[in-house]
Amino acid sequence: MKTLKPTVFIVDDEPLLTEMLTDYLLKQYAGFIIKSFPTGEACLKNLFENPDIVVLDYYLNTKEKDASNGIDILKEIKKRNKTLPVIMLSSQKSYGIASKTIMYGAMHYVIKGQDAFKEIFELINANV
Amino acid sequence: MVDLTFLKEFTGGDYKKMIRYINLYLENTPASFDQMQRNIDNQDWSGLAINAHSLKPQAEFMGIKSLKDILADIENCARQGRVEHVESLFKIARQQQKESEKYLIQFLESLERT
């Protein structure tokens, strides 16, 4: 990791995954500053904090129906900061969705599941 | 039906964390099922697919593979318009959710006794 205290934004409307991912990342590296947001809108409002990386859920409107979905948030993040790495997260094993997210600037697409935590940490470790 | 091996390894045997995660799952899952029932009642198939999709990894984290698999089936049927199967799949999922919930509550009670 190049940055000593990297700031990681986790954007997911499921509290269980958010909490597990936060705990996992901090266990791997105590220097992380982790901020979580249940909606993309909340993430965008806080982009001024200049996170080093964003972990962004693809479906963000399960709890708040009017919340923007992950692709729209990804596009907006990239509009505001082209170089900010974004890891897209989804439990859908769809090549079409994965390639769409990469096309809009996501660095990587991770399938939610038991293996996702290690994969996300390794991506963060390699890119911040 | 419930295999807590992953959760035990993930938490490194930290029972406080296990309790926290299981409680988060138990707090949120009934509302998700109620939402899926509303999706079915309203024939909101894309809403149903999203809700089933969202619950899938959580069932996996709790080690409830059968529930995860049936949620995947519900999601696929809803997305592909094969809605004639959705209600019976949902009934099975609901039953599995109730049984696994019982198991998890008993597990939490056993942890609190130690």
Side-chain angles (χ1 to χ4, degrees):
Chain A
M1 229 160 320
K2 291 169 257 176
T3 316
L4 262 182
K5 283 185 164 290
T7 298
V8 180
F9 276 14
I10 298 172
V11 192
D12 197 305
D13 60 355
E14 291 299 340
L16 175 60
L17 179 119
T18 301
E19 185 132 344
M20 288 178 77
L21 181 56
T22 300
D23 289 347
Y24 182 86
L25 291 177
L26 288 172
K27 197 172 172 188
Q28 305 314 305
Y29 182 66
F32 283 128
I33 298 167
I34 298 184
K35 302 205 174 185
S36 59
F37 306 96
T39 66
E41 285 80 359
C43 164
L44 292 175
K45 273 196 185 132
N46 288 275
L47 266 188
F48 68 89
E49 292 187 32
N50 292 322
D52 294 282
I53 194 161
V54 178
V55 181
L56 175 62
D57 187 25
Y58 185 80
Y59 283 114
L60 282 169
N61 50 358
T62 50
K63 298 262 157 41
E64 287 192 34
K65 299 296 162 204
D66 297 329
S68 299
N69 68 25
I71 280 280
D72 292 337
I73 300 302
L74 170 65
K75 287 181 200 173
E76 189 58 35
I77 289 173
K78 286 293 163 178
K79 205 158 91 180
R80 298 184 194 189
N81 184 346
K82 269 196 177 67
T83 61
L84 174 56
V86 180
I87 298 167
M88 211 73 189
L89 205 51
S90 175
S91 55
Q92 215 174 344
K93 292 177 192 174
S94 158
Y95 175 76
I97 290 179
S99 62
K100 192 170 153 190
T101 65
I102 302 298
M103 190 174 78
Y104 285 116
M107 180 187 82
H108 208 84
Y109 181 88
V110 173
I111 311 276
K112 281 186 190 181
Q114 294 178 1
D115 298 330
F117 301 98
K118 183 168 184 271
E119 193 175 349
I120 291 168
F121 171 70
E122 285 172 355
L123 286 166
I124 294 173
N125 193 27
N127 287 280
V128 299
Chain B
M1 166 175 247
V2 181
D3 180 357
L4 292 172
T5 306
F6 168 74
L7 212 50
K8 284 176 182 163
E9 285 173 4
F10 186 88
T11 58
D14 182 337
Y15 285 132
K16 276 193 181 145
K17 277 194 180 155
M18 278 190 83
I19 289 170
R20 172 85 183 123
Y21 297 153
I22 293 172
N23 276 326
L24 272 173
Y25 174 79
L26 292 174
E27 278 161 22
N28 284 288
T29 309
S32 297
F33 268 84
D34 289 344
Q35 185 55 52
M36 284 194 282
Q37 181 66 69
R38 280 194 291 275
N39 293 142
I40 291 170
D41 294 342
N42 296 332
Q43 297 187 358
D44 174 9
W45 308 123
S46 79
L48 177 66
I50 289 172
N51 283 309
H53 167 93
S54 178
L55 205 42
K56 254 185 345 193
Q58 298 180 70
E60 184 178 341
F61 299 150
M62 292 296 123
I64 317 167
K65 188 179 181 305
S66 55
L67 179 56
K68 179 210 164 191
D69 289 345
I70 205 155
L71 287 167
D73 289 342
I74 290 171
E75 181 189 359
N76 290 335
C77 284
R79 284 193 202 285
Q80 292 163 16
R82 292 184 287 129
V83 297
E84 62 278 12
H85 302 297
V86 152
E87 279 196 71
S88 48
L89 286 172
F90 182 73
K91 255 194 196 129
I92 298 169
R94 183 76 102 165
Q95 185 56 34
Q96 291 190 355
Q97 182 255 332
K98 287 194 166 126
E99 285 169 17
S100 54
E101 188 178 283
K102 243 189 247 166
Y103 179 94
L104 288 170
I105 290 170
Q106 281 169 4
F107 178 75
L108 287 179
E109 285 168 357
S110 73
L111 284 186
E112 276 153 18
R113 278 196 294 269
T114 54

